[in-house]
Amino acid sequence: MPKTSARLLALLSLLQTRRDWPGALLAERLDVSPRTVRRDMDRLRELGYPITTFKGPDGGYRLDAGTELPPLLFDDEQAVALAIALQLATTGGAGIEQGAARALHTIRQVMPARLRHRIDTLQVTAVERPELRPDPQVDSGVLMALSAAVHAREELRFDYASGSDDDGVPAPPRRAQPHHLVTWGGRWYLVAWDLDRENWRTFRVDRIIPRTPTGPRFTPRELPGGTVAAFVTARFRGSDGSSTDWPCRGEVILDLPAAVVSRYTREGVVEELGPGRCRLVLGSWSWTGLASAIGRFDADIEVVGPAELKDAFARLARRFARA
């Protein structure tokens, strides 16, 4: 590679690592004169890179965003990370699968052989869960509209299909202050403050049809639980969002080895008590749900507590007997 071309690539790589670069520091890094740096900047501008100059004691250069996407330069780690992310995006259900696949093909074509081999060894196959109704796909345009409102802190008006039967009368548009876009269990949700119900809600994005224009700007409220991860985890566990723990938690003794119970318990605490016996502490969104989860183990059960769990087992016993 000619020396000038190699220097231009090195210069472009440096410009992408930080916002502002003093000219003297660039000259020192490249082991050239400040005049050579100025000429190289002019060459990059001719190639379509939006290089701006800033003045001052440490005057220098900045790589800004332009009206078109110029060629980019990635190091090995960035290129591999980008390719893996694109491959995962083809299975994400965000409506960008085809675009991600095309982008991955484009990047792979220009990768050096050493990197292409690393990418080709990672093959991700999306296997759909055997459900009667697969997870719906989300319109990427809706995702962009919602994310723009979240970023601008603007109120949203949107039509929302609740998923339940209705009487055919169109529902009035919902009004909400959007706070976060999240994914949970393969689905997209909008975390927002519902202005009509005056409460926090999680709306399924595939059921949202945004209306335009957006409403006035708002000052974000503080989420219960402190973080969006804590809030969403708590909501999907059946609590009010202030605690990430399950609202119902009980303790039982099972006539099964701890190794067997641990294999089928993702969030419970299993303690071995002896040959063929273990203690299980487990949580759920309701006492009946907790009793049902424990009852799936093919073993005798001794309830340690609390009394609500014992009552739930009694209710299930009567219900199952009638069935």
Side-chain angles (χ1 to χ4, degrees):
M1 181 184 296
K3 184 176 181 180
T4 301
S5 299
R7 191 174 63 247
L8 287 178
L9 289 176
L11 178 58
L12 181 59
S13 179
L14 289 173
L15 288 173
Q16 293 176 167
T17 59
R18 56 186 283 181
R19 179 169 176 79
D20 295 331
W21 273 97
L25 182 57
L26 282 175
E28 179 183 343
R29 288 288 188 93
L30 298 173
D31 195 21
V32 296
S33 66
R35 181 180 178 183
T36 300
V37 171
R38 289 194 295 270
R39 288 201 304 263
D40 287 346
M41 291 297 179
D42 291 336
R43 293 188 179 98
L44 288 177
R45 292 189 183 102
E46 293 173 359
L47 293 173
Y49 293 95
I51 308 293
T52 59
T53 304
F54 59 90
K55 299 181 180 180
D58 295 325
Y61 306 92
R62 176 186 304 136
L63 178 60
D64 282 337
T67 57
E68 297 181 355
L69 184 65
L72 302 176
L73 185 66
F74 300 102
D75 58 31
D76 287 8
E77 185 178 355
Q78 290 174 321
V80 172
L82 180 59
I84 292 175
L86 288 171
Q87 192 167 167
L88 294 176
T90 62
T91 67
I96 58 172
E97 290 78 10
Q98 293 185 359
R102 293 197 306 270
L104 178 61
H105 177 74
T106 300
I107 291 177
R108 184 187 177 281
Q109 288 292 102
V110 298
M111 274 187 171
R114 67 181 187 279
L115 298 182
R116 192 182 305 121
H117 174 72
R118 291 177 61 184
I119 294 303
D120 290 344
T121 59
L122 176 65
Q123 296 295 327
V124 180
T125 302
V127 179
E128 298 293 339
R129 294 192 298 269
E131 297 178 332
L132 295 178
R133 293 186 301 175
D135 291 340
Q137 294 294 300
V138 175
D139 189 324
S140 60
V142 173
L143 281 178
M144 295 303 297
L146 298 182
S147 62
V150 171
H151 179 73
R153 298 177 178 177
E154 294 176 343
E155 293 181 3
L156 275 174
R157 294 187 309 125
F158 56 91
D159 297 310
Y160 189 69
S162 64
S164 58
D165 295 332
D166 54 40
D167 54 7
V169 179
R174 308 293 289 270
R175 299 184 310 120
Q177 296 176 345
H179 281 253
H180 294 84
L181 272 175
V182 299
T183 58
W184 178 279
R187 288 180 175 175
W188 289 83
Y189 295 88
L190 174 68
V191 176
W193 175 262
D194 193 317
L195 290 167
D196 297 316
R197 291 163 175 78
E198 295 186 347
N199 199 359
W200 288 101
R201 295 293 302 275
T202 52
F203 298 98
R204 277 179 46 175
V205 173
D206 60 284
R207 295 175 177 173
I208 292 178
I209 303 177
R211 291 195 176 195
T212 55
T214 55
R217 293 175 60 88
F218 64 90
T219 301
R221 304 167 186 264
E222 184 177 353
L223 271 172
T227 66
V228 63
F231 171 80
V232 172
T233 299
R235 278 302 173 98
F236 281 99
R237 286 183 169 182
S239 74
D240 60 2
S242 60
S243 172
T244 59
D245 198 7
W246 291 105
C248 302
R249 183 173 293 275
E251 179 180 340
V252 299
I253 295 176
L254 298 175
D255 286 345
L256 279 176
V260 174
V261 176
S262 299
R263 195 179 309 157
Y264 302 102
T265 304
R266 296 180 58 185
E267 298 182 341
V269 178
V270 183
E271 177 188 356
E272 185 174 3
L273 297 179
R277 297 187 80 224
C278 70
R279 185 190 313 273
L280 171 64
V281 178
L282 193 63
S284 182
W285 60 277
S286 72
W287 293 111
T288 304
L290 179 57
S292 299
I294 296 173
R296 65 193 174 96
F297 292 103
D298 188 12
D300 288 337
I301 304 168
E302 175 188 342
V303 178
V304 177
E308 290 86 348
L309 181 56
K310 293 184 178 182
D311 294 340
F313 272 112
R315 288 194 301 272
L316 285 180
R318 294 190 296 268
R319 188 175 301 164
F320 290 164
R322 288 193 300 268

